[in-house]
Amino acid sequence: MKTHTLVQRTHEWYAHRAQHFNASDAAAMLGVSPLKTRGELLLELHTGVAREFSDYVQEHVIDPGNAFEALALPFAEAIVGEPLYPVVGTLGKLSASFDGITMAEDTAYEHKRLNAALRECMSAVIDDNDPALLPLHHQVQMEQQCMVSGAGRVLFLATEFDADGKMLDHRACWYKPQPELAARITAGWAQFAEDLANYVLQPAVAPKPTAATIEALPALVVKTEGRIVSSNLGPFRDAAMLFLSRIKTDLQTDQDFVDADRTVKFCEDGEKRLELVKAQSLEEMADVGELHRTIDTIKETMRATRLKLSKLVDERKVSIRTEIVAEAHAALREHVAKLNGRLGHQWVAAQPQSLFGEAAKGKRTVETTREACNLALANAKIAANEQADRFDANAKALTIDGKDWMFLFADFQSPMVGGMEPATFKAVAESRINAHEARVKAEADRVEAARVAEAARVERQRVADAALKTEIAASTLALAPAQRVEYASVREAVAANAPKPATFHGGDEAGTLNAGQIAQRLGFALTVDFISGDLGTPPATTQRRATLWTEAQFAIICRRLIVHVQTVQAVAQRDAVAA
C-alpha cells in the first residue's frame, strides 16, 4: 500500500478522492448503498462536483459523526492493543481513507455512528457478533480497505456519545477479508471505469416533480328569472376550448406524467362542476336548450380529453418502461458481442430481456426505472466479463506442450463446462486427457498383441512346414537310390493335388476334436495310439476320458497321413521290386 499525507475532509483530500475509486464509494458502485445510487456516483465522478449536504444534515449528522470518531479512537486502541494512525492509502486506482491502522498495517479500524440498524444486528459483546450480519454496504467498504492495505482484519466500531463526550453505547466486531466479495469489487470497479469513460451527461431532472399549476377556467355564472337573464357562457366556452387545446400529450419525463395526472383530475372536476351548473339552471327555468347544449358540448369535449389523456398516460408509461428495458438489453447484447469477438467464438450468451423487466418492476418514475435498469446492466456486464475471462483461460489451458486438446470438449461452449472456474476446469481437463490417452494406449496394445500373435502363427506354420519337409526327406532316404526319383515324383504329385491344410490362429487354442471326429472328417477310422504314435501328434488336452486335438493339429495330422501313405506306398513298391 502507498500512503499519502492527507487530512480527511480537506481540499487536498477531496482532490485525491476525485482521482481514485474510494472505499466509501464502493457500495454505491455495486448498487448496495442506501445513501447514493450508482448513477449518482457516475454523475459525481464525471462532473467532478461532489454531493453537497444541507446545513441541517451537516450539523446534526455529519459533524457529530466526525466528533464521535475522534472520541472513540482511544477506546478502539484499547481493543486493538496498539496505537492506531489515521491514513490515506492507495493500491493503483483503488483508495481507502482509514479512521485508523496499526504501524504494521495488519489491523485497520473503521468507525460509524451507532444507529438502530446496527443495534439490531449487533450486541455489546464484541466476540458474540457476526460481521456477516452487518449491512452489506459496511462490509464492502471494509473489504476494499483490506484490499488496499493487505490488513488481515478490521475493527468495526459504532459508538454514541452525549454532549459532554461520555460514551452512552457502543457495538463492535472483527471483520475479516472475504475473497469472493473482493473479486466482486474488483470486477465492479472495472465495469464502472468503462461506464465512466463512456458516460454522457443527461439533462438535469428535478429530484421529485410536482404538478404545474393549471390556469383555472373562469367560473361559469348563469342568472335566470324564467329565462336566461345573463351568463358568461360564451367567454367560458372559448376559455375552456383554448385550455383543452393546449394540453400536452407528448409525455416523456416524470414532470410530463405528473402534469398529465393533474390535468386528468382537473378535467374530471370540471365535468362535475358543469353538471352542477346545469342542474341548478333546471331548477330555475324550463327553457334552457341553448345553455344546456353549450354546457353539454364543453362537458363532452372535456370528458373526451380527460379519457384520452388518461389512456395516453397509462400507455406512455408502459411505452417508456419498454424503451428503457429494450435499450438496456440492446446495450448488453452489444457488450456480449464484443466479448465473443475477442474470444473468436459465440461462447458468452446475453441474459434474457426479462432480467431488465424484473429490475424495472415496481418502479414508479422514469428516473428510478432507468437507474434500476442501468444497475442491472452493469451487473450483467460484470457477469459476462467474468464468464468471458473463464472461457478464455480454460481454452488456453487446453493447449499443453503445443498440443491442442479442444477436440475432447465438444461441449466446451456450455457455461457449465467452458465457463466453469479455471481450477475446476483444469481437473476436468486432466481427467478427460488421461482417459483419452488410456484409450489410445489400450488400442495400441491391442494392435501390437494382434501383430505379435500373427507373427507367432506364421512362425509356427513355418516350423510345421519345415518339419514336414524333414519328414518327407527322411522317408525318401529310406528308399533305394533307384526308387527315390520315382517316390519323389509320386510325392510331389500327391502334394500338388492334396487339399490345403486348415489355418491355425494362435498357440493358445483349446482342443476340440476327438479321434472319432477326425476319422469322420477323413472318411476312415483312426485310433488314438495311431495318431499319437505313428503320426507323432500327441493330443493337445485330455478332458476326463476324452482325448482332444486342435484344428491346427488336424492340419498336421493330415499332412503326416499323406507322408505316411506315401511312405507305405514307396516301401511296397520297393518290396515288389526286390521280390
Side-chain angles (χ1 to χ4, degrees), residues 281-357:
S281 68
L282 284 173
E283 296 176 358
E284 299 179 9
M285 61 180 295
D287 186 13
V288 289
E290 182 62 27
L291 173 66
H292 287 186
R293 282 192 297 272
T294 303
I295 290 177
D296 288 343
T297 300
I298 298 172
K299 176 185 172 184
E300 184 58 32
T301 304
M302 189 173 286
R303 176 178 178 278
T305 302
R306 172 178 62 83
L307 294 176
K308 177 182 178 182
L309 188 59
S310 180
K311 182 180 180 181
L312 185 61
V313 167
D314 294 338
E315 291 178 348
R316 188 55 183 150
K317 283 183 178 179
V318 173
S319 175
I320 288 182
R321 183 186 299 270
T322 302
E323 290 172 4
I324 292 174
V325 168
E327 288 174 2
H329 192 237
L332 178 59
R333 289 200 307 271
E334 181 181 357
H335 182 77
V336 168
K338 291 180 180 178
L339 293 176
N340 285 328
R342 172 168 65 86
L343 295 172
H345 298 276
Q346 298 299 312
W347 288 337
V348 181
Q351 297 189 47
Q353 189 163 330
S354 59
L355 167 72
F356 302 104

Side-chain angles (χ1 to χ4, degrees), residues 88-101:
V88 176
T90 57
L91 182 66
K93 188 72 172 179
L94 299 184
S95 177
S97 297
F98 298 90
D99 294 336
I101 194 168

Side-chain angles (χ1 to χ4, degrees), residues 495-543:
N497 295 318
K500 298 294 183 181
T503 303
F504 174 53
H505 298 284
D508 296 329
E509 183 181 359
T512 59
L513 301 174
N514 57 33
Q517 291 171 318
I518 293 174
Q520 185 178 7
R521 287 187 182 184
L522 295 174
F524 51 85
L526 294 174
T527 65
V528 172
D529 292 339
F530 177 76
I531 297 173
S532 300
D534 294 349
L535 298 184
T537 310
T541 56
T542 301
Q543 297 180 356

Side-chain angles (χ1 to χ4, degrees), residues 217-223 230-237 270 273-278 280 291 294-296 298:
L217 295 174
L220 177 59
V221 179
V222 178
K223 292 183 179 181
S230 65
S231 77
N232 63 339
L233 186 59
F236 179 84
R237 178 189 57 207
R273 287 187 285 110
L274 287 172
E275 188 64 32
L276 178 61
V277 172
K278 180 179 176 181
Q280 289 174 343
L291 173 66
T294 303
I295 290 177
D296 288 343
I298 298 172

Side-chain angles (χ1 to χ4, degrees), residues 462-509:
R462 185 192 66 77
V463 171
D465 291 344
L468 180 59
K469 290 180 180 179
T470 301
E471 291 179 13
I472 294 174
S475 63
T476 303
L477 290 175
L479 303 176
Q483 298 169 332
R484 289 178 185 173
V485 175
E486 181 182 357
Y487 174 76
S489 60
V490 171
R491 182 197 64 195
E492 291 173 359
V494 171
N497 295 318
K500 298 294 183 181
T503 303
F504 174 53
H505 298 284
D508 296 329
E509 183 181 359

